[in-house]
Short mmCIF file of all heavy atoms in Angstrom, two decimals:
data_model
loop_
_atom_site.label_atom_id
_atom_site.label_comp_id
_atom_site.label_asym_id
_atom_site.label_seq_id
_atom_site.Cartn_x
_atom_site.Cartn_y
_atom_site.Cartn_z
N ARG A 265 -24.16 -5.24 5.39
CA ARG A 265 -22.89 -5.87 6.04
C ARG A 265 -21.85 -4.91 5.89
O ARG A 265 -21.81 -3.97 5.02
CB ARG A 265 -22.50 -7.16 5.21
CG ARG A 265 -21.41 -7.93 5.80
CD ARG A 265 -21.04 -9.06 4.98
NE ARG A 265 -19.84 -9.71 5.45
CZ ARG A 265 -19.33 -10.76 4.78
NH1 ARG A 265 -19.88 -11.24 3.64
NH2 ARG A 265 -18.25 -11.26 5.24
N LEU A 266 -20.86 -4.89 6.87
CA LEU A 266 -19.75 -3.97 6.86
C LEU A 266 -18.56 -4.87 6.43
O LEU A 266 -18.19 -5.98 7.13
CB LEU A 266 -19.52 -3.29 8.08
CG LEU A 266 -18.15 -2.47 8.27
CD1 LEU A 266 -18.27 -1.19 7.25
CD2 LEU A 266 -17.94 -1.96 9.58
N ILE A 267 -17.81 -4.56 5.47
CA ILE A 267 -16.56 -5.18 4.98
C ILE A 267 -15.36 -4.21 5.16
O ILE A 267 -15.40 -3.09 4.62
CB ILE A 267 -16.61 -5.70 3.52
CG1 ILE A 267 -17.67 -6.74 3.52
CG2 ILE A 267 -15.37 -6.40 3.20
CD1 ILE A 267 -18.00 -7.35 2.02
N GLU A 268 -14.34 -4.67 5.80
CA GLU A 268 -13.07 -3.74 5.96
C GLU A 268 -12.06 -4.55 5.20
O GLU A 268 -11.78 -5.71 5.19
CB GLU A 268 -12.83 -3.78 7.38
CG GLU A 268 -13.60 -3.09 8.29
CD GLU A 268 -13.07 -3.02 9.72
OE1 GLU A 268 -12.11 -2.26 9.98
OE2 GLU A 268 -13.57 -3.75 10.52
N CYS A 269 -11.36 -3.65 4.37
CA CYS A 269 -10.15 -4.10 3.69
C CYS A 269 -8.86 -3.30 4.28
O CYS A 269 -9.06 -2.05 4.38
CB CYS A 269 -10.17 -3.83 2.15
SG CYS A 269 -11.15 -5.29 1.39
N PHE A 270 -7.81 -3.95 4.54
CA PHE A 270 -6.65 -3.18 5.03
C PHE A 270 -5.55 -3.22 4.11
O PHE A 270 -5.19 -4.14 3.44
CB PHE A 270 -6.16 -3.98 6.38
CG PHE A 270 -7.22 -3.80 7.51
CD1 PHE A 270 -8.21 -4.80 7.69
CD2 PHE A 270 -7.02 -2.84 8.42
CE1 PHE A 270 -9.11 -4.66 8.76
CE2 PHE A 270 -8.02 -2.71 9.45
CZ PHE A 270 -8.98 -3.60 9.65
N GLY A 271 -4.91 -2.06 3.96
CA GLY A 271 -3.61 -2.04 3.22
C GLY A 271 -2.54 -2.70 3.85
O GLY A 271 -1.65 -3.24 3.29
N GLY A 272 -2.61 -2.72 5.21
CA GLY A 272 -1.58 -3.44 5.91
C GLY A 272 -2.17 -4.75 6.66
O GLY A 272 -3.17 -5.17 6.20
N PHE A 273 -1.38 -5.15 7.71
CA PHE A 273 -1.72 -6.51 8.33
C PHE A 273 -1.82 -6.32 9.80
O PHE A 273 -1.70 -7.32 10.45
CB PHE A 273 -0.57 -7.40 8.05
CG PHE A 273 -0.56 -7.87 6.62
CD1 PHE A 273 0.10 -7.22 5.66
CD2 PHE A 273 -1.31 -8.97 6.13
CE1 PHE A 273 0.20 -7.64 4.35
CE2 PHE A 273 -1.30 -9.45 4.91
CZ PHE A 273 -0.54 -8.79 3.84
N ALA A 274 -2.15 -5.21 10.35
CA ALA A 274 -2.24 -5.06 11.81
C ALA A 274 -3.34 -5.97 12.40
O ALA A 274 -4.51 -5.81 12.24
CB ALA A 274 -2.49 -3.58 12.22
N ALA A 275 -2.74 -7.07 13.12
CA ALA A 275 -3.74 -8.18 13.53
C ALA A 275 -4.89 -7.75 14.47
O ALA A 275 -5.90 -8.15 14.52
CB ALA A 275 -2.83 -9.30 14.07
N HIS A 276 -4.36 -6.77 15.31
CA HIS A 276 -5.28 -6.41 16.48
C HIS A 276 -6.59 -5.61 15.89
O HIS A 276 -7.56 -5.49 16.62
CB HIS A 276 -4.70 -5.51 17.47
CG HIS A 276 -4.15 -4.26 17.01
ND1 HIS A 276 -3.04 -4.03 16.35
CD2 HIS A 276 -4.69 -3.00 17.09
CE1 HIS A 276 -2.89 -2.67 15.98
NE2 HIS A 276 -4.01 -2.06 16.43
N GLN A 277 -6.49 -5.26 14.61
CA GLN A 277 -7.47 -4.42 13.99
C GLN A 277 -8.55 -5.37 13.19
O GLN A 277 -9.59 -4.87 12.80
CB GLN A 277 -6.95 -3.41 13.06
CG GLN A 277 -6.06 -2.32 13.77
CD GLN A 277 -5.16 -1.54 12.75
OE1 GLN A 277 -5.18 -1.85 11.61
NE2 GLN A 277 -4.48 -0.69 13.39
N LYS A 278 -8.23 -6.61 13.20
CA LYS A 278 -9.08 -7.55 12.28
C LYS A 278 -10.33 -7.93 12.98
O LYS A 278 -10.42 -8.11 14.17
CB LYS A 278 -8.25 -8.80 11.85
CG LYS A 278 -7.04 -8.44 11.05
CD LYS A 278 -6.26 -9.75 10.78
CE LYS A 278 -6.88 -10.75 10.14
NZ LYS A 278 -5.90 -11.99 9.79
N SER A 279 -11.30 -8.12 12.26
CA SER A 279 -12.61 -8.48 12.70
C SER A 279 -13.03 -9.65 11.74
O SER A 279 -12.42 -9.96 10.86
CB SER A 279 -13.63 -7.25 12.72
OG SER A 279 -13.98 -6.96 11.39
N ALA A 280 -14.33 -10.15 12.06
CA ALA A 280 -14.79 -11.34 11.19
C ALA A 280 -15.04 -10.90 9.83
O ALA A 280 -14.92 -11.72 8.80
CB ALA A 280 -16.11 -11.64 11.97
N ASP A 281 -15.36 -9.59 9.51
CA ASP A 281 -15.57 -9.24 8.23
C ASP A 281 -14.46 -8.37 7.64
O ASP A 281 -14.63 -7.47 6.73
CB ASP A 281 -16.92 -8.37 8.15
CG ASP A 281 -18.14 -9.27 8.33
OD1 ASP A 281 -18.03 -10.50 7.74
OD2 ASP A 281 -19.16 -8.92 8.86
N SER A 282 -13.26 -8.62 8.08
CA SER A 282 -12.15 -7.87 7.53
C SER A 282 -11.27 -8.83 6.61
O SER A 282 -11.24 -9.97 6.77
CB SER A 282 -11.18 -7.19 8.69
OG SER A 282 -10.65 -8.35 9.37
N ILE A 283 -10.63 -8.09 5.70
CA ILE A 283 -9.93 -8.81 4.71
C ILE A 283 -8.43 -8.19 4.54
O ILE A 283 -8.38 -7.01 4.23
CB ILE A 283 -10.49 -8.84 3.30
CG1 ILE A 283 -11.95 -9.32 3.38
CG2 ILE A 283 -9.78 -9.63 2.37
CD1 ILE A 283 -12.78 -9.13 2.03
N CYS A 284 -7.47 -9.00 4.84
CA CYS A 284 -6.08 -8.51 4.65
C CYS A 284 -5.42 -9.13 3.49
O CYS A 284 -4.39 -8.76 3.08
CB CYS A 284 -5.25 -8.83 5.92
SG CYS A 284 -5.78 -7.80 7.34
N ASN A 285 -5.82 -10.26 3.07
CA ASN A 285 -5.16 -11.05 2.01
C ASN A 285 -5.73 -10.95 0.61
O ASN A 285 -5.56 -11.79 -0.23
CB ASN A 285 -5.07 -12.53 2.47
CG ASN A 285 -6.47 -13.17 2.43
OD1 ASN A 285 -7.54 -12.54 2.05
ND2 ASN A 285 -6.65 -14.44 2.92
N TRP A 286 -6.31 -9.77 0.41
CA TRP A 286 -6.99 -9.44 -0.88
C TRP A 286 -5.96 -9.29 -1.91
O TRP A 286 -4.79 -8.87 -1.79
CB TRP A 286 -7.90 -8.19 -0.77
CG TRP A 286 -7.23 -7.03 -0.18
CD1 TRP A 286 -7.18 -6.77 1.17
CD2 TRP A 286 -6.34 -6.06 -0.84
NE1 TRP A 286 -6.33 -5.57 1.38
CE2 TRP A 286 -5.91 -5.15 0.09
CE3 TRP A 286 -5.86 -5.79 -2.15
CZ2 TRP A 286 -5.06 -4.11 -0.18
CZ3 TRP A 286 -5.12 -4.80 -2.44
CH2 TRP A 286 -4.76 -3.99 -1.42
N GLY A 287 -6.35 -9.46 -3.17
CA GLY A 287 -5.48 -9.20 -4.38
C GLY A 287 -6.20 -8.02 -5.14
O GLY A 287 -7.26 -7.49 -4.70
N PRO A 288 -5.54 -7.44 -6.08
CA PRO A 288 -5.98 -6.22 -6.78
C PRO A 288 -7.37 -6.46 -7.42
O PRO A 288 -8.23 -5.56 -7.22
CB PRO A 288 -5.03 -5.93 -7.80
CG PRO A 288 -3.74 -6.54 -7.38
CD PRO A 288 -4.23 -7.74 -6.51
N GLN A 289 -7.60 -7.44 -7.94
CA GLN A 289 -8.93 -7.85 -8.60
C GLN A 289 -10.02 -7.94 -7.72
O GLN A 289 -11.17 -7.58 -7.94
CB GLN A 289 -8.78 -8.95 -9.54
CG GLN A 289 -7.97 -8.69 -10.74
CD GLN A 289 -7.53 -10.01 -11.46
OE1 GLN A 289 -6.71 -10.71 -10.95
NE2 GLN A 289 -8.17 -10.30 -12.61
N GLU A 290 -9.77 -8.53 -6.50
CA GLU A 290 -10.83 -8.58 -5.44
C GLU A 290 -11.23 -7.36 -4.91
O GLU A 290 -12.41 -7.01 -4.75
CB GLU A 290 -10.21 -9.47 -4.25
CG GLU A 290 -10.18 -10.94 -4.58
CD GLU A 290 -9.50 -11.69 -3.45
OE1 GLU A 290 -8.18 -11.54 -3.30
OE2 GLU A 290 -10.15 -12.27 -2.67
N LEU A 291 -10.22 -6.43 -4.60
CA LEU A 291 -10.52 -5.09 -4.04
C LEU A 291 -11.19 -4.22 -5.04
O LEU A 291 -12.17 -3.51 -4.79
CB LEU A 291 -9.25 -4.45 -3.55
CG LEU A 291 -9.45 -3.01 -2.85
CD1 LEU A 291 -10.54 -3.06 -1.75
CD2 LEU A 291 -8.07 -2.63 -2.27
N LEU A 292 -10.84 -4.33 -6.22
CA LEU A 292 -11.59 -3.59 -7.39
C LEU A 292 -13.05 -4.00 -7.51
O LEU A 292 -13.90 -3.19 -7.63
CB LEU A 292 -10.81 -3.83 -8.75
CG LEU A 292 -11.12 -2.94 -9.82
CD1 LEU A 292 -10.78 -1.51 -9.57
CD2 LEU A 292 -10.44 -3.52 -11.17
N GLY A 293 -13.27 -5.26 -7.39
CA GLY A 293 -14.67 -5.92 -7.39
C GLY A 293 -15.41 -5.21 -6.11
O GLY A 293 -16.61 -5.10 -6.21
N LEU A 294 -14.82 -5.30 -4.91
CA LEU A 294 -15.48 -4.85 -3.66
C LEU A 294 -15.84 -3.35 -3.90
O LEU A 294 -16.94 -2.99 -3.53
CB LEU A 294 -14.53 -5.04 -2.50
CG LEU A 294 -14.47 -6.58 -2.05
CD1 LEU A 294 -13.36 -6.64 -1.03
CD2 LEU A 294 -15.83 -6.93 -1.51
N ILE A 295 -14.99 -2.56 -4.48
CA ILE A 295 -15.28 -1.11 -4.61
C ILE A 295 -16.41 -1.03 -5.70
O ILE A 295 -17.43 -0.27 -5.48
CB ILE A 295 -14.11 -0.36 -5.15
CG1 ILE A 295 -13.07 -0.30 -4.03
CG2 ILE A 295 -14.42 1.07 -5.64
CD1 ILE A 295 -11.77 0.39 -4.49
N ALA A 296 -16.32 -1.77 -6.74
CA ALA A 296 -17.34 -1.65 -7.83
C ALA A 296 -18.76 -1.92 -7.46
O ALA A 296 -19.66 -1.59 -8.11
CB ALA A 296 -16.91 -2.59 -9.02
N ASN A 297 -18.95 -2.76 -6.44
CA ASN A 297 -20.25 -3.20 -5.98
C ASN A 297 -20.71 -2.82 -4.58
O ASN A 297 -21.74 -3.20 -4.12
CB ASN A 297 -20.24 -4.85 -6.05
CG ASN A 297 -20.04 -5.35 -7.47
OD1 ASN A 297 -21.04 -5.47 -8.27
ND2 ASN A 297 -18.85 -5.75 -7.88
N ALA A 298 -19.91 -1.91 -4.02
CA ALA A 298 -20.32 -1.45 -2.70
C ALA A 298 -21.48 -0.36 -2.80
O ALA A 298 -21.58 0.33 -3.76
CB ALA A 298 -19.11 -0.85 -2.09
N GLU A 299 -22.33 -0.36 -1.66
CA GLU A 299 -23.30 0.61 -1.60
C GLU A 299 -22.66 1.87 -1.27
O GLU A 299 -23.10 3.02 -1.79
CB GLU A 299 -24.28 0.25 -0.48
CG GLU A 299 -24.96 -1.08 -0.78
CD GLU A 299 -25.98 -0.95 -1.94
OE1 GLU A 299 -26.76 0.02 -2.06
OE2 GLU A 299 -25.98 -1.88 -2.77
N VAL A 300 -21.79 1.96 -0.29
CA VAL A 300 -21.01 3.18 0.06
C VAL A 300 -19.59 2.65 0.25
O VAL A 300 -19.33 1.60 0.82
CB VAL A 300 -21.59 3.68 1.28
CG1 VAL A 300 -20.94 5.10 1.73
CG2 VAL A 300 -23.06 3.94 1.25
N VAL A 301 -18.67 3.67 -0.06
CA VAL A 301 -17.26 3.40 0.23
C VAL A 301 -16.69 4.46 1.20
O VAL A 301 -16.97 5.61 0.97
CB VAL A 301 -16.39 3.40 -0.99
CG1 VAL A 301 -14.93 3.19 -0.63
CG2 VAL A 301 -16.89 2.28 -1.97
N PHE A 302 -16.08 4.12 2.24
CA PHE A 302 -15.35 5.03 3.21
C PHE A 302 -13.86 4.60 3.03
O PHE A 302 -13.45 3.45 3.14
CB PHE A 302 -15.76 4.87 4.66
CG PHE A 302 -17.13 5.33 4.86
CD1 PHE A 302 -18.09 4.43 4.97
CD2 PHE A 302 -17.33 6.63 5.14
CE1 PHE A 302 -19.47 4.85 5.21
CE2 PHE A 302 -18.72 7.12 5.47
CZ PHE A 302 -19.78 6.11 5.54
N THR A 303 -12.97 5.54 2.82
CA THR A 303 -11.59 5.22 2.52
C THR A 303 -10.72 6.41 3.09
O THR A 303 -11.11 7.59 3.11
CB THR A 303 -11.24 4.85 1.08
OG1 THR A 303 -9.97 4.39 0.94
CG2 THR A 303 -11.56 6.04 0.23
N THR A 304 -9.44 6.03 3.38
CA THR A 304 -8.34 6.92 3.50
C THR A 304 -7.37 6.93 2.32
O THR A 304 -6.31 7.47 2.41
CB THR A 304 -7.58 6.60 4.84
OG1 THR A 304 -7.18 5.34 4.83
CG2 THR A 304 -8.48 6.89 5.96
N SER A 305 -7.70 6.21 1.34
CA SER A 305 -6.81 5.86 0.24
C SER A 305 -7.03 6.70 -0.94
O SER A 305 -8.22 6.76 -1.36
CB SER A 305 -6.86 4.38 -0.21
OG SER A 305 -6.43 4.06 -1.47
N PHE A 306 -5.95 7.23 -1.55
CA PHE A 306 -6.10 7.96 -2.81
C PHE A 306 -6.76 7.11 -3.86
O PHE A 306 -7.69 7.54 -4.57
CB PHE A 306 -4.89 8.52 -3.24
CG PHE A 306 -4.72 9.18 -4.66
CD1 PHE A 306 -5.13 10.54 -4.77
CD2 PHE A 306 -4.63 8.34 -5.86
CE1 PHE A 306 -5.28 11.09 -6.07
CE2 PHE A 306 -4.76 8.96 -7.09
CZ PHE A 306 -4.98 10.32 -7.20
N HIS A 307 -6.17 5.90 -4.15
CA HIS A 307 -6.83 5.05 -5.20
C HIS A 307 -8.16 4.46 -4.93
O HIS A 307 -9.00 4.10 -5.71
CB HIS A 307 -5.73 4.02 -5.58
CG HIS A 307 -4.69 4.57 -6.53
ND1 HIS A 307 -3.44 4.84 -5.93
CD2 HIS A 307 -4.65 4.90 -7.73
CE1 HIS A 307 -2.65 5.36 -6.94
NE2 HIS A 307 -3.37 5.33 -8.09
N GLY A 308 -8.35 4.30 -3.60
CA GLY A 308 -9.74 3.97 -3.20
C GLY A 308 -10.71 5.05 -3.56
O GLY A 308 -11.91 4.69 -4.15
N LEU A 309 -10.35 6.34 -3.43
CA LEU A 309 -11.24 7.38 -3.89
C LEU A 309 -11.24 7.50 -5.39
O LEU A 309 -12.36 7.50 -5.99
CB LEU A 309 -10.54 8.70 -3.38
CG LEU A 309 -11.18 9.97 -3.99
CD1 LEU A 309 -12.69 10.14 -3.70
CD2 LEU A 309 -10.35 11.18 -3.43
N ALA A 310 -10.17 7.22 -6.05
CA ALA A 310 -10.00 7.44 -7.53
C ALA A 310 -11.01 6.32 -8.18
O ALA A 310 -11.71 6.54 -9.14
CB ALA A 310 -8.60 7.14 -7.95
N PHE A 311 -10.87 5.12 -7.70
CA PHE A 311 -11.73 3.99 -8.32
C PHE A 311 -13.21 4.13 -7.97
O PHE A 311 -14.07 3.76 -8.78
CB PHE A 311 -11.21 2.66 -8.02
CG PHE A 311 -10.02 2.20 -8.90
CD1 PHE A 311 -8.71 2.22 -8.38
CD2 PHE A 311 -10.36 1.93 -10.19
CE1 PHE A 311 -7.71 1.81 -9.29
CE2 PHE A 311 -9.21 1.53 -11.09
CZ PHE A 311 -7.92 1.52 -10.52
N SER A 312 -13.45 4.67 -6.81
CA SER A 312 -14.78 4.93 -6.52
C SER A 312 -15.59 5.86 -7.43
O SER A 312 -16.73 5.77 -7.89
CB SER A 312 -14.97 5.42 -5.06
OG SER A 312 -14.60 4.56 -4.14
N LEU A 313 -14.75 6.96 -7.80
CA LEU A 313 -15.21 7.97 -8.81
C LEU A 313 -15.32 7.29 -10.17
O LEU A 313 -16.42 7.52 -10.93
CB LEU A 313 -14.33 9.12 -8.80
CG LEU A 313 -14.06 9.89 -7.54
CD1 LEU A 313 -13.15 11.05 -7.72
CD2 LEU A 313 -15.36 10.42 -6.97
N ILE A 314 -14.40 6.55 -10.57
CA ILE A 314 -14.39 5.96 -11.93
C ILE A 314 -15.60 4.94 -12.16
O ILE A 314 -16.33 4.90 -13.00
CB ILE A 314 -13.15 5.25 -12.18
CG1 ILE A 314 -12.00 6.15 -12.30
CG2 ILE A 314 -13.19 4.30 -13.40
CD1 ILE A 314 -10.68 5.39 -12.35
N LEU A 315 -15.83 4.26 -10.90
CA LEU A 315 -16.91 3.22 -10.88
C LEU A 315 -18.19 3.68 -10.37
O LEU A 315 -19.12 2.91 -10.21
CB LEU A 315 -16.37 1.97 -10.15
CG LEU A 315 -15.19 1.25 -10.82
CD1 LEU A 315 -14.58 0.33 -9.73
CD2 LEU A 315 -15.53 0.56 -12.03
N HIS A 316 -18.31 4.93 -10.30
CA HIS A 316 -19.51 5.69 -9.74
C HIS A 316 -20.14 5.08 -8.50
O HIS A 316 -21.31 4.75 -8.30
CB HIS A 316 -20.61 5.63 -10.88
CG HIS A 316 -20.39 6.53 -12.06
ND1 HIS A 316 -21.18 6.81 -13.08
CD2 HIS A 316 -19.18 7.31 -12.38
CE1 HIS A 316 -20.77 7.63 -13.90
NE2 HIS A 316 -19.40 7.93 -13.53
N ARG A 317 -19.36 5.00 -7.47
CA ARG A 317 -19.77 4.61 -6.24
C ARG A 317 -19.71 5.74 -5.29
O ARG A 317 -18.84 6.74 -5.33
CB ARG A 317 -18.69 3.72 -5.54
CG ARG A 317 -18.55 2.27 -6.35
CD ARG A 317 -19.81 1.40 -6.18
NE ARG A 317 -20.59 1.79 -7.39
CZ ARG A 317 -21.95 1.28 -7.52
NH1 ARG A 317 -22.56 0.65 -6.51
NH2 ARG A 317 -22.64 1.48 -8.49
N ASN A 318 -20.76 5.83 -4.34
CA ASN A 318 -20.79 6.91 -3.40
C ASN A 318 -19.71 6.78 -2.38
O ASN A 318 -19.70 5.83 -1.48
CB ASN A 318 -22.22 6.88 -2.68
CG ASN A 318 -23.24 7.58 -3.57
OD1 ASN A 318 -23.08 8.67 -4.06
ND2 ASN A 318 -24.31 6.90 -3.78
N VAL A 319 -18.75 7.62 -2.36
CA VAL A 319 -17.59 7.57 -1.61
C VAL A 319 -17.32 8.71 -0.71
O VAL A 319 -17.79 9.95 -0.89
CB VAL A 319 -16.30 7.41 -2.58
CG1 VAL A 319 -16.16 8.74 -3.41
CG2 VAL A 319 -15.01 7.13 -1.71
N TRP A 320 -16.86 8.42 0.53
CA TRP A 320 -16.39 9.49 1.53
C TRP A 320 -15.05 9.31 1.90
O TRP A 320 -14.53 8.20 2.17
CB TRP A 320 -17.30 9.35 2.72
CG TRP A 320 -18.78 9.83 2.50
CD1 TRP A 320 -19.80 8.98 2.18
CD2 TRP A 320 -19.33 11.02 2.59
NE1 TRP A 320 -21.02 9.59 2.00
CE2 TRP A 320 -20.66 10.92 2.30
CE3 TRP A 320 -18.80 12.29 2.98
CZ2 TRP A 320 -21.49 12.00 2.31
CZ3 TRP A 320 -19.63 13.46 3.05
CH2 TRP A 320 -20.98 13.30 2.68
N LEU A 321 -14.23 10.41 1.77
CA LEU A 321 -12.77 10.32 2.12
C LEU A 321 -12.75 10.83 3.65
O LEU A 321 -13.42 11.65 4.11
CB LEU A 321 -11.95 11.22 1.29
CG LEU A 321 -10.47 11.08 1.44
CD1 LEU A 321 -10.05 9.75 0.72
CD2 LEU A 321 -9.68 12.12 0.78
N ILE A 322 -11.91 9.94 4.40
CA ILE A 322 -11.71 10.29 5.82
C ILE A 322 -10.53 11.14 5.93
O ILE A 322 -9.45 10.89 5.54
CB ILE A 322 -11.58 8.96 6.52
CG1 ILE A 322 -12.78 8.14 6.34
CG2 ILE A 322 -11.59 9.32 8.15
CD1 ILE A 322 -14.20 8.76 6.44
N ASN A 323 -10.71 12.17 6.71
CA ASN A 323 -9.69 13.19 6.84
C ASN A 323 -8.54 12.65 7.88
O ASN A 323 -8.93 12.36 9.12
CB ASN A 323 -10.19 14.52 7.44
CG ASN A 323 -9.17 15.58 7.62
OD1 ASN A 323 -8.38 15.78 6.68
ND2 ASN A 323 -9.09 16.21 8.80
N LYS A 324 -7.40 12.32 7.37
CA LYS A 324 -6.24 11.74 8.23
C LYS A 324 -4.95 12.54 7.82
O LYS A 324 -4.49 12.31 6.75
CB LYS A 324 -6.11 10.23 8.02
CG LYS A 324 -7.34 9.49 8.47
CD LYS A 324 -7.46 9.37 9.94
CE LYS A 324 -6.55 8.60 10.66
NZ LYS A 324 -6.75 8.50 12.00
N GLY A 325 -4.66 13.51 8.55
CA GLY A 325 -3.34 14.32 8.33
C GLY A 325 -3.54 15.13 7.20
O GLY A 325 -4.52 15.79 6.95
N ASP A 326 -2.54 15.37 6.34
CA ASP A 326 -2.44 16.34 5.32
C ASP A 326 -3.33 16.06 4.23
O ASP A 326 -4.01 16.96 3.68
CB ASP A 326 -0.98 16.55 4.83
CG ASP A 326 -0.88 17.75 3.90
OD1 ASP A 326 -1.62 18.67 3.94
OD2 ASP A 326 -0.03 17.77 2.96
N ASN A 327 -3.41 14.79 3.77
CA ASN A 327 -4.17 14.29 2.62
C ASN A 327 -4.08 15.18 1.38
O ASN A 327 -5.04 15.41 0.64
CB ASN A 327 -5.71 14.42 3.03
CG ASN A 327 -6.03 13.39 4.07
OD1 ASN A 327 -5.92 12.18 3.92
ND2 ASN A 327 -6.55 13.82 5.25
N CYS A 328 -2.96 15.75 1.12
CA CYS A 328 -2.80 16.65 -0.03
C CYS A 328 -3.12 16.00 -1.30
O CYS A 328 -3.72 16.67 -2.19
CB CYS A 328 -1.42 17.25 -0.02
SG CYS A 328 0.00 16.03 0.01
N ARG A 329 -2.77 14.82 -1.47
CA ARG A 329 -3.15 14.11 -2.79
C ARG A 329 -4.53 13.97 -3.05
O ARG A 329 -5.18 14.01 -4.04
CB ARG A 329 -2.23 12.88 -2.97
CG ARG A 329 -0.66 13.09 -3.05
CD ARG A 329 0.01 11.82 -3.06
NE ARG A 329 -0.05 11.17 -1.75
CZ ARG A 329 -0.48 9.83 -1.57
NH1 ARG A 329 -0.85 9.14 -2.54
NH2 ARG A 329 -0.47 9.27 -0.37
N GLN A 330 -5.24 13.40 -1.87
CA GLN A 330 -6.58 13.20 -1.90
C GLN A 330 -7.38 14.52 -2.04
O GLN A 330 -8.39 14.58 -2.79
CB GLN A 330 -6.98 12.46 -0.66
CG GLN A 330 -6.49 11.08 -0.52
CD GLN A 330 -5.26 10.93 0.24
OE1 GLN A 330 -4.36 11.87 0.23
NE2 GLN A 330 -5.05 9.87 1.00
N HIS A 331 -6.96 15.58 -1.32
CA HIS A 331 -7.55 16.83 -1.46
C HIS A 331 -7.55 17.28 -2.88
O HIS A 331 -8.54 17.89 -3.48
CB HIS A 331 -6.90 17.87 -0.69
CG HIS A 331 -7.41 17.97 0.74
ND1 HIS A 331 -8.70 18.41 1.14
CD2 HIS A 331 -6.79 17.72 2.03
CE1 HIS A 331 -8.85 18.41 2.36
NE2 HIS A 331 -7.69 17.98 2.99
N SER A 332 -6.46 17.16 -3.55
CA SER A 332 -6.23 17.66 -5.01
C SER A 332 -7.34 17.00 -5.86
O SER A 332 -7.99 17.54 -6.70
CB SER A 332 -4.83 17.31 -5.35
OG SER A 332 -4.63 17.73 -6.67
N LEU A 333 -7.51 15.59 -5.72
CA LEU A 333 -8.45 14.88 -6.60
C LEU A 333 -9.92 15.29 -6.24
O LEU A 333 -10.71 15.47 -7.21
CB LEU A 333 -8.29 13.40 -6.35
CG LEU A 333 -9.24 12.50 -7.21
CD1 LEU A 333 -9.24 12.92 -8.60
CD2 LEU A 333 -8.96 11.03 -6.93
#
Side-chain angles (χ1 to χ4, degrees):
R265 185 178 172 188
L266 176 66
I267 297 177
E268 293 180 75
C269 280
F270 292 88
F273 288 91
H276 68 278
Q277 296 164 358
K278 293 171 68 174
S279 64
D281 287 327
S282 67
I283 306 172
C284 288
N285 63 3
W286 49 268
Q289 291 164 287
E290 287 174 282
L291 183 51
L292 194 57
L294 285 167
I295 292 173
N297 292 277
E299 298 291 316
V300 184
V301 177
F302 293 98
T303 189
T304 54
S305 159
F306 173 88
H307 282 101
L309 169 63
F311 278 107
S312 295
L313 298 182
I314 293 166
L315 297 165
H316 287 190
R317 297 293 93 191
N318 280 308
V319 61
W320 291 90
L321 195 72
I322 308 307
N323 186 49
K324 298 291 286 186
D326 186 28
N327 293 300
C328 51
R329 293 173 293 124
Q330 292 92 329
H331 272 295
S332 181
L333 178 53

